[in-house]
Amino acid sequence: MLAGKRILLIIGGGIAAYKALELIRRLKERGAGVTPVLTRAAEEFVSPLSAGALAGVRAYRHLFDLTDEAEMGHIELSRAADLLVVAPATADLLAKMAGGHADDLASTLLLATDKRVLVAPAMNVRMWLHPATQRNIATLRADGVLFAGPNEGDMACGEFGPGRMAEPLEIVAAVEAALGGGPLAGRHVIVTSGPTHEPIDPVRYIANRSSGAQGRALAAALRDLGARVTFVTGPASVPPPPGISVVAVETAVEMDEAVAAALPADVAIFAAAVADWRVANARDAKIKKDGSGKPPALTFTENPDILARVAGLKAGRPALVVGFAAETDDVVAHATAKRLRKGCDWIVANDVRPATGIMGGAENAVTLITAGGAEDWPRLPKDEVARRLAARIAETLG
Ligand code: C5P
């Protein structure tokens, strides 16, 4: 999918630099040409020799490497590429990029390029969360820099949180999406995911057991096929995948507004477990026991049905609108009726009785309901269900 594409890979100085070697292999496997550039700090972690050997070309290190007339100049080097990838992108490299510094080969190439830049940040969680880093990231995003990760997880420094570099295959997927490969290239897909939280008072809310795992997997699978994904997510327990545009919301009303703002789209997939009701008399102050022994009375009002609203759009309706149906009995009958009631094209139905372990679990057994009928899929990991669904979507759009 990356045949003939030229990637200039800038390797920053972080412990994740070892993954850059694997990244070179994965990019090469897909037919890309990779020119590695190491910062001085990167050389403390990986050698230019290994990077160059894997890439099959010389790895560049210093500005002086380019002073030889026979060599490419730095302007040419940065413009001969189709995409610049920075992995790992350390806090220092991101700060240099945001500030427009050019005091070594890597930063000079990044300033001189007229091509898109994709960064895969990797740093300690405190450094990632530091306001200075967050400011730099906001600047870079506004400049059009693309991000792959970081992921959340255990870190080499012993801490846990966001800051782990995205895995090489996730970066490859982001590279493919950035270069417009894949059957869904040029398509915009909206995916809703996770539960919603409906406030009762400032400290309490009503929620459900959705983890957001199926929505996350779907967004990643669609991204991998080249789609531009807008991921509207409630407070899920799994982090969103890298390489997509994330809109974090809390309530159904916020989700509805975020979806409306993300339109138009070619496809809209509603994997979120949206609360049907919100508390009409939610309080601004914490509800306290008043000593009367009487519990407070909550009254409810209906939330907007986001799926039905988008499926029923007269103008600007996505070509394919997909809903999910979590059912505990008569799955196919209920989901078939729901497809018609909501006016969507497909319903992905699943049985969420506690005994199935599906809600919040790693696997899913779904039935795909279309105008043509019901199709039972075997029980599969949620990632695999997502890949099959994404492939089916690509096939349907043609
Ligand atoms: O009616 P029910 O909640 O079972 O429908 C499930 C489908 O409708 C899911 O795709 C869900 O994301 C979507 N939905 C929605 N807005 C709501 C309720 C459900 O988009 N308020």
Side-chain angles (χ1 to χ4, degrees), residues 270 272 274 276 304-307 323-324 338 342:
F270 296 89
V274 185
D276 289 327
D305 190 318
I306 313 167
L307 167 63
F324 275 67
K338 190 169 288 178
K342 302 246 186 184

Side-chain angles (χ1 to χ4, degrees), residues 9-386:
L9 174 65
I10 294 171
I11 306 176
I15 187 71
Y18 76 93
K19 289 197 212 169
L21 299 181
E22 162 92 4
L23 176 61
I24 296 175
R25 288 193 44 211
R26 299 298 184 189
L27 290 168
K28 295 272 296 175
E29 265 170 23
R30 285 160 178 76
V34 182
T35 304
V37 175
L38 281 79
T39 65
R40 205 176 284 276
E43 288 186 43
E44 302 287 336
F45 296 92
V46 290
S47 83
L49 202 62
S50 357
L54 285 166
V57 297
R58 150 170 197 207
Y60 293 94
R61 303 156 66 195
H62 310 302
L63 267 173
F64 310 107
D65 286 352
L66 301 172
T67 52
D68 185 335
E69 282 301 304
E71 293 281 355
M72 256 196 237
H74 59 266
I75 306 279
E76 213 182 321
L77 185 61
S78 69
R79 294 192 186 162
D82 295 302
L83 183 74
L84 271 69
V85 177
V86 188
T90 60
D92 180 58
L93 257 174
L94 293 173
K96 279 184 171 170
M97 288 173 69
H101 292 227
D103 61 355
D104 62 1
L105 180 58
S107 52
T108 305
L109 291 169
L110 285 160
L111 195 63
T113 193
D114 58 354
K115 297 293 161 35
R116 296 207 84 178
V117 179
L118 170 78
V119 298
M123 66 196 73
N124 166 273
V125 55
R126 296 284 145 227
M127 294 170 79
W128 172 255
L129 294 174
H130 194 284
T133 304
Q134 291 298 315
R135 253 193 329 270
N136 292 333
I137 287 157
T139 302
L140 293 170
R141 281 196 201 280
D143 289 347
V145 170
L146 302 166
F147 280 72
N151 292 344
E152 195 160 302
D154 289 319
M155 316 194 75
C157 53
E159 290 188 60
F160 180 90
R164 260 173 78 98
M165 189 167 89
E167 295 305 318
L169 283 178
E170 290 178 312
I171 301 174
V172 167
V175 167
E176 283 173 340
L179 290 172
L184 289 176
R187 306 283 194 175
H188 178 213
V189 184
I190 298 173
V191 179
T192 71
S193 182
T196 61
H197 285 183
E198 307 296 334
I200 296 170
D201 67 17
V203 295
R204 303 184 181 94
Y205 56 82
I206 294 173
N208 60 63
R209 295 186 199 280
S210 166
S211 64
Q214 188 63 78
R216 175 195 205 279
L218 257 169
L222 292 157
R223 171 205 64 193
D224 290 354
L225 296 185
R228 175 166 72 84
V229 180
T230 302
F231 188 60
V232 180
T233 176
S237 46
V238 294
I244 60 166
S245 170
V246 179
V247 185
V249 298
E250 205 167 298
T251 65
V253 168
E254 285 169 12
M255 188 172 274
D256 187 39
E257 287 166 359
V259 167
L263 287 166
D266 300 285
V267 183
I269 306 177
F270 296 89
V274 185
D276 289 327
W277 309 93
R278 67 178 177 278
V279 180
N281 58 341
R283 314 279 178 85
D284 294 333
K286 186 180 167 196
I287 303 172
K288 298 214 168 51
K289 281 189 268 192
D290 61 7
S292 71
K294 270 206 298 194
L298 299 180
T299 57
F300 290 87
T301 183
E302 202 167 343
N303 269 328
D305 190 318
I306 313 167
L307 167 63
R309 190 183 60 71
V310 172
L313 283 176
K314 295 278 176 290
R317 182 192 190 273
L320 188 65
V321 177
V322 182
F324 275 67
E327 304 287 351
T328 51
D329 58 291
D330 258 341
V331 176
V332 173
H334 282 139
T336 303
K338 190 169 288 178
R339 192 185 82 84
L340 297 174
R341 198 166 63 242
K342 302 246 186 184
C344 59
D345 302 297
W346 298 354
I347 283 271
V348 181
N350 51 18
D351 182 344
V352 292
R353 275 172 304 165
T356 64
I358 282 174
M359 200 127 181
E363 291 188 334
N364 209 349
V366 308
T367 303
L368 179 65
I369 292 162
T370 67
E375 197 181 297
D376 281 324
W377 289 9
R379 192 176 173 114
L380 296 164
K382 286 182 176 173
D383 287 351
E384 186 52 33
V385 170

